Amino acid sequence: MSAPKFTTLGCRLNAYETEAMKELSAQAGLDNAVIVNTCAVTAEAVRKARQEIRRLRRENPTARLIVTGCAAQTEPETFTAMAEVDAVIGNTEKMRPETWKSMAADFIGETETVQVDDIMSVTETAGHLIDGFGTRSRAYVQVQNGCDHRCTFCIIPYGRGNSRSVPAGVVVDQIKRLVDRGYNEVVLTGVDLTSWGADLPAEPKLGDLVMRILRLVPDLPRLRISSIDSIEVDENLMQAIATEPRLMPHLHLSLQHGDDLILKRMKRRHLRDDAIRFAEEARRLRPEMTFGADIIAGFPTETEAHFENSLKLVDDCHLTWLHVFPYSRREGTPAAKIPSQVNGKTIKDRAARLRAAGDRRVARHLAQQVGRSHRILMESPQMGRTEQFTEVHFDTPQPEGQIVTTTITGTSGNVLTA
């Protein structure tokens, strides 16, 4: 009997759910299987999924090959048509124990080759909770799934469904268990994290959840939140930024662009000045705050002047850790129908210029840390991260999973040295 092999494509949430599927498939007794957890964020992501499936079939000719994830949810017919694929499972189905029981070799009865239901009809809270994922020092807790917004470039709501939240009490109980197991940092994750609570009684906000975690889990050394939509940040989250040292001073912002007209065509809910105002206020409340951001280069109709506003936003918002996405036309999205598509060479060039701007901000950030003392969470004996999520390399081994205080001595590439 051989344990199933998993391949994860795409986001951190997919990686989290792969860990959950490992548990579910083990409990079901599934063996001799390969499971591919796909991403659908761009057409290129789907192409890579197909490529990976063909490679895995060549390497595992006798295994059952199961495809799941967002691409399987949004276009199951694409994968059903592939000769290499034995089964296609949707995003809701992949988190159900009975799905994996039906895939096990000793299951008696008929197993559907395609199990993909209407994701928009799903109303239960975000799925399976796992006690520990990531490094031995940092755990990720999924508190929300799905998205109620319809940005014109994005297919993800059709892969994830509408927003659903995990109740605060369930989240707090899980984090208590993680702390009891020795984790020193917990990261809250979701598809649209700042929409947490909108579907719960009394409609609490993400800031309410953060404050509750910090109050009820006093032994948690570090709480981090992943990507947020700054326009949805509530008063309590700003209060936590200002007053709670255990909330890490690092926020990843879903900005997408720096020009108001393009933001409107993307159907975003903020304008350029909103982003700048939020960044300024967060840094006023917490001077050591650092920002990451998602920015798309080459959205349809983007002119050089529009793009220059994205470039300027890197400095205007003091963005340090950029995730630059060259626009990729995605069938099924409104943006794919816009006639004025930017040509590929221009998109590639603009993405490179954005990354270069990000590299300059990283170099500036790193230079400012030299000589300063930092509390660093060790992910391995010789690598850890500061509270701002900056990577630090050590000459001498440190206790893995622990928080150590040290003075930064220099830089090397995009990392600090100590």
Side-chain angles (χ1 to χ4, degrees):
M1 181 172 176
S2 59
K5 297 177 183 177
F6 285 84
T7 293
T8 306
L9 306 170
C11 66
R12 177 65 68 175
L13 188 54
N14 253 14
Y16 179 101
E17 290 173 344
T18 290
E19 296 302 308
M21 287 190 285
K22 286 179 181 178
E23 288 187 8
L24 293 169
S25 62
Q27 291 164 7
L30 181 66
D31 71 334
N32 194 29
V34 174
I35 298 93
V36 184
N37 198 6
T38 63
C39 172
V41 69
T42 62
E44 177 66 9
V46 177
R47 188 192 70 78
K48 285 183 177 178
R50 288 167 55 87
Q51 186 180 53
E52 183 70 3
I53 287 163
R54 286 191 286 267
R55 183 186 71 79
L56 288 168
R57 171 52 77 205
R58 288 194 300 270
E59 293 179 0
N60 302 272
T62 64
R64 187 162 199 204
L65 201 151
I66 301 166
V67 180
T68 186
C70 288
Q73 181 68 49
T74 57
E75 44 186 284
E77 65 286 346
T78 294
F79 300 98
T80 306
M82 293 183 70
E84 295 86 354
V85 175
D86 295 307
V88 180
I89 301 172
N91 264 337
T92 302
E93 291 76 16
K94 76 182 184 185
M95 307 307 285
R96 291 175 178 163
E98 57 269 27
T99 300
W100 298 100
K101 287 175 185 172
S102 74
M103 295 287 167
D106 60 354
F107 177 74
I108 299 173
E110 185 176 344
T111 301
E112 293 182 63
T113 303
V114 182
Q115 298 183 46
V116 183
D117 290 341
D118 177 12
I119 196 81
M120 294 303 176
S121 67
V122 178
T123 57
E124 74 264 22
T125 57
H128 194 81
L129 296 178
I130 58 172
D131 282 345
F133 156 57
T135 66
R136 288 170 53 191
S137 52
R138 179 182 298 108
Y140 294 80
V141 176
Q142 182 187 354
V143 303
Q144 183 274 340
N145 204 342
C147 185
D148 292 337
H149 309 302
R150 297 294 180 265
C151 298
T152 59
F153 55 82
C154 188
I155 198 76
I156 296 306
Y158 305 98
R160 290 285 177 181
N162 293 317
S163 181
R164 295 96 69 199
S165 310
V166 178
V170 176
V171 174
V172 168
D173 286 346
Q174 189 191 10
I175 292 175
K176 284 179 178 177
R177 291 197 304 272
L178 291 165
V179 171
D180 287 343
R181 291 184 58 194
Y183 285 93
N184 280 317
E185 181 175 299
V186 165
V187 185
L188 304 182
T189 68
V191 173
D192 182 27
L193 199 56
T194 32
S195 71
W196 180 88
D199 57 324
L200 297 176
E203 298 185 4
K205 302 290 187 183
L206 180 62
D208 301 321
L209 177 64
V210 167
M211 295 293 257
R212 184 168 179 177
I213 291 167
L214 292 169
R215 185 177 73 252
L216 296 180
V217 195
D219 294 334
L220 173 65
R222 291 161 64 140
L223 179 67
R224 197 179 291 279
I225 53 180
S226 58
S227 182
I228 61 169
D229 200 335
S230 59
I231 200 68
E232 290 185 319
V233 168
D234 61 281
E235 189 175 329
N236 266 350
L237 186 52
M238 296 306 288
Q239 177 74 6
I241 288 169
T243 64
E244 291 285 356
R246 291 185 295 146
L247 178 63
M248 295 296 92
H250 167 252
L251 295 171
H252 191 83
L253 309 177
S254 178
L255 297 181
Q256 310 306 344
H257 212 275
D259 185 87
D260 285 349
L261 180 60
I262 298 297
L263 287 167
K264 287 178 181 178
R265 288 172 177 167
M266 288 178 164
K267 211 172 177 182
R268 300 293 293 167
R269 283 154 291 127
H270 72 275
L271 297 174
R272 174 192 180 80
D273 284 348
D274 296 323
I276 295 170
R277 194 160 40 243
F278 170 80
E280 287 176 346
E281 178 64 5
R283 292 179 77 244
R284 185 187 70 80
L285 296 173
R286 195 83 175 268
E288 70 270 33
M289 180 67 74
T290 60
F291 301 108
D294 296 332
I295 300 184
I296 295 173
F299 186 82
T301 75
E302 181 189 76
T303 64
E304 182 64 22
H306 296 148
F307 172 72
E308 286 289 338
N309 280 332
S310 280
L311 266 183
K312 291 174 188 171
L313 195 69
V314 176
D315 286 326
D316 291 344
C317 285
H318 293 260
L319 305 177
T320 301
W321 313 112
L322 290 191
H323 286 182
V324 176
F325 295 89
Y327 175 76
S328 172
R329 191 169 178 271
R330 187 72 176 84
E331 290 298 335
T333 63
K337 299 175 183 176
I338 297 176
S340 301
Q341 301 282 323
V342 180
N343 75 66
K345 185 176 182 301
T346 301
I347 292 174
K348 187 175 180 180
D349 172 68
R350 290 175 181 172
R353 289 160 64 193
L354 270 173
R355 292 190 184 103
D359 289 342
R360 289 191 291 272
R361 293 295 316 186
V362 169
R364 181 174 174 176
H365 169 72
L366 295 178
Q368 290 170 344
Q369 309 314 309
V370 176
R372 293 185 181 180
S373 177
H374 279 278
R375 286 167 50 80
I376 297 162
L377 178 64
M378 299 306 300
E379 295 184 13
S380 68
Q382 292 185 293
M383 192 280 280
R385 292 187 187 271
T386 67
E387 293 184 340
Q388 291 97 341
F389 211 63
T390 310
E391 191 172 324
V392 184
H393 287 185
F394 286 75
D395 287 336
T396 56
Q398 305 294 318
E400 187 174 353
Q402 299 305 302
I403 296 172
V404 301
T405 301
T406 192
T407 299
I408 301 302
T409 58
T411 67
S412 176
N414 279 350
V415 303
L416 297 171
T417 55

